[in-house]
Amino acid sequence: MSLVSVHNEWDPLEEVIVGTAVGARVPTADRSVFAVEYAGDYESQKQIPSGAYPERVIKETEAELHVLTGELTKLGVTVRRPGTRLGR
């Protein structure tokens, strides 16, 4: 069962789940994604970068998510976040 439920889309926001960037990865592109998104930039789908994002990107994103949660909290919104491994 979800901790947050939605009954309509026009009432004021009361509660939200804000995720985490920890563990985020660039997925390996399959043939269809290569054809639509990358064909002009790479000669084969094997050249497309994938794997873990740089630690700097993860830390910057987590900092921005922290600011977002602070702003939402100031507006009276209950914010739920998963635990992170970055010491927060």
Side-chain angles (χ1 to χ4, degrees), residues 24-30 38 42 45-54:
R25 300 179 62 79
V26 180
T28 303
D30 65 8
Y38 299 104
Y42 299 96
Q45 71 189 62
K46 292 178 183 173
Q47 295 173 313
I48 300 170
S50 65
Y53 282 98

Side-chain angles (χ1 to χ4, degrees), residues 21-84:
V22 174
R25 300 179 62 79
V26 180
T28 303
D30 65 8
R31 197 167 48 185
S32 62
V33 173
F34 173 73
V36 174
E37 296 291 329
Y38 299 104
D41 300 322
Y42 299 96
E43 294 194 21
S44 79
Q45 71 189 62
K46 292 178 183 173
Q47 295 173 313
I48 300 170
S50 65
Y53 282 98
E55 188 64 25
R56 175 190 59 80
V57 173
I58 300 296
K59 286 183 178 181
E60 288 175 6
T61 303
E62 279 299 307
E64 291 172 2
L65 290 172
H66 184 71
V67 170
L68 173 65
T69 59
E71 293 299 316
L72 289 168
T73 301
K74 285 183 202 173
L75 294 170
V77 177
T78 299
V79 178
R80 295 182 183 268
R81 293 207 66 200
T84 65

